[in-house]
């Protein structure tokens, strides 16, 4: 374990950063003391001339500690407005969402007396129609969150809630970037609904942009029961498809590695913005930006270090993102894939245990699904109180179909701007693939045994299984290394040399 972490220092950094953020939510004094300890360690490491990469990690830990304290101070400042009425300018961060008799939206203060600029408020209003990027003049009755909703909203950077007493749009393009993103999302939805069946368009809109507005309650229930909610939350899987398409084009259009890296960066920024900068897409986006930096610098990096670096940077920017469920599931599933699934598949290929290509593809899909499930199962049980019994089968049946549908849709949406005739067949293909995805989700998600309610004991068992899998993999890795060492020693001894020692 220690040797593994030494080779992946950024993964270790991410783990410690996560602990600091969790502790900081409950105890500010503990984080302050932790910060002082980190400063002392930092100077000792400089004096002892420790490797730069470890000094950098200590610096990152200090940055997270400072960020936690700053965030706590901002929350304290924001909640002083509790029970007061504020008036001023606000920017709409999320489109109004209908809840029957009222609408909800997220606003950001931008020239409001009594609130710091940038303070986000989850608001309720009797009227709707606010669009992302609109500037409002509004009067809002402020209230702080109770304990039930505090962690959920703090994880999204929202520290206050409020009832809008009156509001009017003063500028439709107040924040032009947000306004443009809102229009692009609208273009995606309108185009898909104009070229596909309603249910298929609703599903594909959720897959492409993460907008679940058009999904029926019944179908969304089937999605959760089938254990494929991650398909409707734009994350690494979705971003990887689009980045792969752009990388493929970049390799054929640009021979310069810097231009290839810029292609990846611009693609990531665009898709991340389009999907509303959710924590899951941010994690994936930062990973790909680090990957792009590797292309530009002509350096390789381990996937675990890339993941750890992305998590650490996000926690520096928003320390309480650690409590965001989609962020947790995204990170843990990715860790399961890169730390367990990929090494196992690599071992199978190196040892030529299985050489049949089709069988390898099947085993690859199964291992990715199983390890992602094992790593996310404790969080799923703890947060939702149930687990899907059909998740593995459903994911295996639709994973490649989702990639195919997303690829067709992305190409069709771009071509539709210039050559609608060519785009039409791609929409038809997307429609066919999504019909299959909907069919699988409906069939498995509606089964009476699709979910099973679980309590504390299964949660503990899931943790034990997780640690058991990790321990087994480390044991296998050590055994493999020892066999290699033994083989090398035999060769050296035959040639008259001395034995190597295990470190």
């Amino acid at each position: 374990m220690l040797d593994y972490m030494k080779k992946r220092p950024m993964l270790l950094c991410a783990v410690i950063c996560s602990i600091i953020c969790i502790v900081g939510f409950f105890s500010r004094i503990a984080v302050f003391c932790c910060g002082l300890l980190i400063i002392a360690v930092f100077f000792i490491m400089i004096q002892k001339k420790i490797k730069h990469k470890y000094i950098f990690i200590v610096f990152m830990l200090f940055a997270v500690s400072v960020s936690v304290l700053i965030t706590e101070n901002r929350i304290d400042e924001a909640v002083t407005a509790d029970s007061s009425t504020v008036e001023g300018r606000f920017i709409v961060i999320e489109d109004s969402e209908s809840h029957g008799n009222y609408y909800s939206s997220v606003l950001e203060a931008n020239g409001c007396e009594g609130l710091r600029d940038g303070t986000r408020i989850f608001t309720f209003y009797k009227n709707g129609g606010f669009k992302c990027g609109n500037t409002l003049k509004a009067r809002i009755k402020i209230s702080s969150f109770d304990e039930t909703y505090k962690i959920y909203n703090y994880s999204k950077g929202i520290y206050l809630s409020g009832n809008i007493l009156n509001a009017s749009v003063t500028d439709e393009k107040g924040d032009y970037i947000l306004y443009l993103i809102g229009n692009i999302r609208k273009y995606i939805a309108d185009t898909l609904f104009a070229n596909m069946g309603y249910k298929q368009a609703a599903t594909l809109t959720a897959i492409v942009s993460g907008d679940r507005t058009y999904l029926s309650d019944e179908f969304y229930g089937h999605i959760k029961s089938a254990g494929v909610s991650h398909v409707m939350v734009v994350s690494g899987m979705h971003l990887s498809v689009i980045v792969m398409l752009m990388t493929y084009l970049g390799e054929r259009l640009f021979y310069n590695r810097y231009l290839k890296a810029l292609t990846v960066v611009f693609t990531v920024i665009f898709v991340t913005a389009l999907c509303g900068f959710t924590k899951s897409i941010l994690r994936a986006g930062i990973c790909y930006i680090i990957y792009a930096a590797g292309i530009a610098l002509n350096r390789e990096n381990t996937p675990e270090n890339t993941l750890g670096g992305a998590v650490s940077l996000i926690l520096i920017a928003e320390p309480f993102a650690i409590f965001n469920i989609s962020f947790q599931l995204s990170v843990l599933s990715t860790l399961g894939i890169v730390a367990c699934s990929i090494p196992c598949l690599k071992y199978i290929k190196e040892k030529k245990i299985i050489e049949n290509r089709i069988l390898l593809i099947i085993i690859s899909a199964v291992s990715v699904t199983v390890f992602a499930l094992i790593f996310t199962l404790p969080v799923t049980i703890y947060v939702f109180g149930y687990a899907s019994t059909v998740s593995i089968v459903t994911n295996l049946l639709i994973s490649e179909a989702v990639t195919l549908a997303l690829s067709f849709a992305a190409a069709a949406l771009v071509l539709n701007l210039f050559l609608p005739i060519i785009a039409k067949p791609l929409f038809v293909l997307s429609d066919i693939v999504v019909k299959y995805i909907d069919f699988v989700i409906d069939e498995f998600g509606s089964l009476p045994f699709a979910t099973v309610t679980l309590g504390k004991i299964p949660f503990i068992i899931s943790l034990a299984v997780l640690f058991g899998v990790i321990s087994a993999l480390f044991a296998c890795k050590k055994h493999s290394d020892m066999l290699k060492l033994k083989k090398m020693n035999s060769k050296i001894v035959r040639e008259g040399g001395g034995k190597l020692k295990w470190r």
Side-chain angles (χ1 to χ4, degrees):
M1 173 71 82
L2 186 61
D3 183 60
Y4 180 86
M5 285 299 185
K6 280 183 179 179
K7 294 177 181 178
R8 295 157 181 85
M10 290 310 301
L11 181 60
L12 177 62
C13 179
V15 172
I16 300 174
C17 284
S18 301
I19 294 170
I20 291 173
C21 292
I22 293 170
V23 170
F25 183 82
F26 298 101
S27 175
R28 193 179 308 184
I29 294 174
V31 172
F32 180 75
C33 294
C34 183
L36 294 178
L37 179 62
I38 290 170
I39 291 173
V41 171
F42 180 77
F43 283 110
I44 291 171
M45 292 177 76
I46 290 177
Q47 187 178 11
K48 296 290 184 180
K49 296 182 179 179
I50 304 296
K51 290 181 180 179
H52 290 162
K53 63 180 179 181
Y54 297 118
I55 295 176
F56 176 74
I57 289 173
V58 172
F59 174 77
M60 294 283 281
L61 298 178
F62 178 72
V64 168
S65 302
V66 171
S67 180
V68 170
L69 295 174
I70 291 173
T71 302
E72 290 278 11
N73 288 333
R74 286 179 179 171
I75 292 171
D76 289 345
E77 183 182 341
V79 298
T80 56
D82 186 25
S83 301
S84 66
T85 301
V86 297
E87 185 173 358
R89 288 193 311 156
F90 300 88
I91 292 176
V92 179
I93 302 300
E94 294 180 5
D95 289 350
S96 296
E97 184 176 345
S98 176
H99 300 279
N101 297 325
Y102 66 95
Y103 294 82
S104 67
S105 184
V106 178
L107 307 183
E108 186 176 277
N110 186 36
C112 176
E113 188 175 349
L115 291 177
R116 177 200 289 263
D117 283 356
T119 301
R120 293 189 174 185
I121 311 168
F122 188 81
T123 60
F124 305 94
Y125 194 37
K126 60 184 178 181
N127 299 320
F130 300 146
K131 298 297 182 184
C132 190
N134 289 170
T135 295
L136 308 180
K137 183 178 181 182
R139 287 181 68 242
I140 303 176
K141 178 72 173 179
I142 298 295
S143 59
S144 57
F145 293 109
D146 59 28
E147 295 299 325
T148 307
Y149 301 102
K150 186 179 287 185
I151 287 182
Y152 172 76
N153 285 286
Y154 284 9
S155 71
K156 299 170 71 176
I158 303 171
Y159 307 136
L160 295 170
S161 65
N163 290 312
I164 300 177
L165 303 177
N166 56 67
S168 59
V169 178
T170 59
D171 187 353
E172 290 188 352
K173 304 177 184 179
D175 188 310
Y176 187 74
I177 299 297
L178 288 175
Y179 176 79
L180 181 61
I181 291 168
N183 279 346
I184 293 172
R185 290 168 69 92
K186 185 176 183 300
Y187 163 75
I188 290 172
D190 290 348
T191 306
L192 292 178
F193 278 96
N195 290 278
M196 301 172 66
Y198 183 89
K199 187 175 182 180
Q200 290 73 46
T203 302
L204 198 52
T205 300
I207 291 173
V208 172
S209 65
D211 185 357
R212 301 192 296 267
T213 307
Y214 306 99
L215 298 176
S216 67
D217 292 339
E218 180 186 11
F219 183 64
Y220 191 57
H222 291 168
I223 288 171
K224 291 190 287 186
S225 298
V228 291
S229 298
H230 61 282
V231 171
M232 306 303 165
V233 178
V234 183
S235 59
M237 180 185 72
H238 303 72
L239 187 60
S240 65
V241 174
I242 297 171
V243 170
M244 282 170 61
L245 287 172
M246 295 306 297
T247 303
Y248 176 81
L249 293 173
E251 287 176 349
R252 278 146 185 78
L253 294 174
F254 310 119
Y255 294 98
N256 188 296
R257 66 174 185 268
Y258 298 106
L259 291 176
K260 292 178 186 177
L262 283 174
T263 302
V264 174
V265 170
F266 285 133
T267 302
V268 166
I269 292 172
F270 175 76
V271 176
T272 305
L274 179 64
C275 299
F277 297 100
T278 60
K279 299 300 180 295
S280 56
I281 195 70
L282 271 175
R283 190 276 309 159
I286 294 174
C287 282
Y288 275 108
I289 288 175
I290 295 173
Y291 162 73
I295 293 175
L297 298 173
N298 202 21
R299 292 184 62 182
E300 292 187 1
N301 199 2
T302 61
E304 296 96 326
N305 271 331
T306 301
L307 176 63
V311 170
S312 301
L313 289 173
I314 289 173
L315 294 181
I316 289 174
E318 277 193 53
F320 297 147
I322 190 63
F323 296 107
N324 188 283
I325 303 304
S326 63
F327 177 65
Q328 292 174 8
L329 295 176
S330 175
V331 171
L332 289 172
S333 61
T334 304
L335 182 59
I337 293 167
V338 301
C340 296
S341 176
I342 293 176
C344 287
L345 291 170
K346 185 178 178 182
Y347 180 82
I348 289 171
K349 290 178 181 178
E350 285 179 351
K351 297 295 182 180
K352 296 182 180 179
I353 297 172
I354 297 172
E355 297 186 9
N356 186 285
R357 189 173 178 181
I358 296 174
L359 193 56
L360 275 173
I361 292 172
I362 295 172
I363 290 175
S364 174
V366 171
S367 68
V368 165
T369 303
V370 169
F371 281 115
L373 178 64
I374 290 172
F375 272 68
T376 57
L377 191 58
V379 173
T380 303
I381 295 174
Y382 182 81
V383 174
F384 303 113
Y386 68 87
S388 173
T389 60
V390 297
S391 175
I392 293 177
V393 176
T394 312
N395 276 282
L396 287 173
L397 289 174
I398 72 167
S399 58
E400 293 302 322
V402 170
T403 301
L404 200 60
L406 186 57
S407 301
F408 286 148
L413 288 166
V414 174
L415 287 171
N416 190 64
L417 294 169
F418 313 102
L419 299 167
I421 297 176
I422 298 177
K424 190 67 179 177
L426 292 174
F427 283 122
V428 172
L429 290 172
S430 298
D431 189 85
I432 294 169
V433 176
V434 176
K435 277 182 181 176
Y436 164 75
I437 294 170
D438 288 345
F439 172 78
V440 172
I441 292 173
D442 279 329
E443 289 298 310
F444 284 90
S446 61
L447 292 172
F449 56 84
T451 59
V452 56
T453 303
L454 301 170
K456 290 183 179 179
I457 294 177
F459 169 70
I460 295 170
I461 292 173
S462 68
L463 283 176
V465 170
L466 174 58
F467 286 115
V469 168
I470 294 172
S471 299
L473 287 170
F474 279 128
C476 291
K477 178 69 168 59
K478 186 173 181 179
H479 179 67
S480 176
D481 290 341
M482 290 297 289
L483 289 176
K484 288 180 182 177
L485 182 64
K486 187 176 180 180
K487 188 176 180 180
M488 289 175 63
N489 276 329
S490 299
K491 183 179 178 181
I492 292 171
V493 169
R494 284 197 305 270
E495 294 174 356
K499 288 186 176 181
L500 298 173
K501 293 182 180 180
W502 170 261
R503 290 196 300 169

